[in-house]
Amino acid sequence: MSASASRPTTRRAGTVIALAAGTVLLAAGAASAHVTVHPESYAKGATDGVLTFRVPNEEDTAFTTKVQVFLPTDHPVLGVLVHPQDGWTAKVTTTKLKTPVKTDDGTITEAASEITFSGGKIGAGQYEDFDVAFGQLPDDTSQLVFKTLQTYSDGKVARWIEESAGGDEPENPAPVLKLTAGGASAAPAPDRTAAVSTAKAADASDSTARGLGVAGLVVGVLGLAAAAFALVRSRGARS
């Protein structure tokens, strides 16, 4: 095979390798984190519980300076209290409900509609947990969507406001709390030490899984490269 004749084969092999390498990069970048709420579910009408909003910093050159969590008012969360957070100031905004909620303690006409955390800083590769206690969750819906805005020091605003449709996770998903059928008994407040340990273990497991996945893709790329060059050499030898 002449040098000119071998060029198309070499170019095809290079194209295959480039495409495979691109797949590796896309797979590695697709595992970006987003704002989530924990636990992922509560019983409908649950009382005296705690919701934890986990906010990771996704920027390498900026840090998070403000987090705004919007609470639904069509299915209000009653009795909202914010846990003090070192370095952060929390502001709870309330709104008058279109439909008052009757409880054992009377009729509720106002509820929290937004919680803004500001004044603190979440650096690159870090996250912050914001704890919000509630008196009672609604019992007339199957989920609560907490749309969230995350503001960075460079002015960028990440809008975690999209709801899933058809089972596929959107690009910028809002935190969602599933409400399940069952007793509305009080849930114990989370043990912060245990929660941090669990989070670290989960993060380590997730990082390991991502690493293995990327490693597997890299091995696949190398395999494609070897096969492509073997093909080129084989054809060259036959010539």
Side-chain angles (χ1 to χ4, degrees):
M1 178 184 292
S2 66
S4 60
S6 67
R7 288 194 189 104
T9 302
T10 305
R11 282 198 296 268
R12 285 196 294 272
T15 300
V16 171
I17 296 168
L19 289 173
T23 301
V24 171
L25 295 177
L26 287 174
S32 60
H34 52 81
V35 178
T36 52
V37 61
H38 304 271
E40 296 180 349
S41 66
Y42 255 112
K44 293 182 178 181
T47 58
D48 301 325
V50 175
L51 298 175
T52 298
F53 293 91
R54 175 159 298 170
V55 182
N57 191 91
E58 293 188 306
E59 297 294 317
D60 294 330
T61 58
F63 47 84
T64 299
T65 58
K66 183 168 67 173
V67 178
Q68 296 164 269
V69 180
F70 297 89
L71 287 70
T73 54
D74 52 346
H75 303 287
V77 178
L78 305 181
V80 168
L81 295 173
V82 180
H83 186 277
Q85 198 84 356
D86 290 343
W88 294 86
T89 299
K91 177 184 177 183
V92 179
T93 301
T94 60
T95 188
K96 185 174 288 294
L97 299 175
K98 292 182 179 180
T99 304
V101 179
K102 294 182 178 180
T103 70
D104 294 338
D105 298 321
T107 300
I108 306 298
T109 59
E110 291 187 345
S113 58
E114 178 185 345
I115 305 174
T116 300
F117 301 94
S118 60
K121 180 172 68 175
I122 307 174
Q126 300 177 343
Y127 71 89
E128 190 77 63
D129 280 347
F130 298 97
D131 290 341
V132 177
F134 62 82
Q136 183 175 337
L137 296 177
D139 60 4
D140 57 352
T141 185
S142 60
Q143 68 176 26
L144 295 176
V145 178
F146 299 99
K147 296 183 178 182
T148 303
L149 300 182
Q150 180 180 8
T151 302
Y152 287 92
S153 56
D154 60 1
K156 176 183 176 180
V157 178
R159 301 170 60 83
W160 306 107
I161 61 174
E162 299 175 0
E163 299 182 42
S164 62
D168 295 329
E169 183 176 79
E171 182 177 355
N172 299 295
V176 176
L177 177 70
K178 299 294 184 181
L179 297 181
T180 61
S185 58
D191 183 327
R192 292 308 297 264
T193 302
V196 170
S197 298
T198 301
K200 288 182 178 179
D203 290 343
S205 176
D206 186 51
S207 298
T208 300
R210 291 178 186 175
L212 291 173
V214 173
L217 290 172
V218 170
V219 171
V221 171
L222 295 177
L224 288 172
F229 285 117
L231 178 62
V232 172
R233 293 185 60 183
S234 175
R235 292 184 176 180
R238 287 198 299 270
S239 299

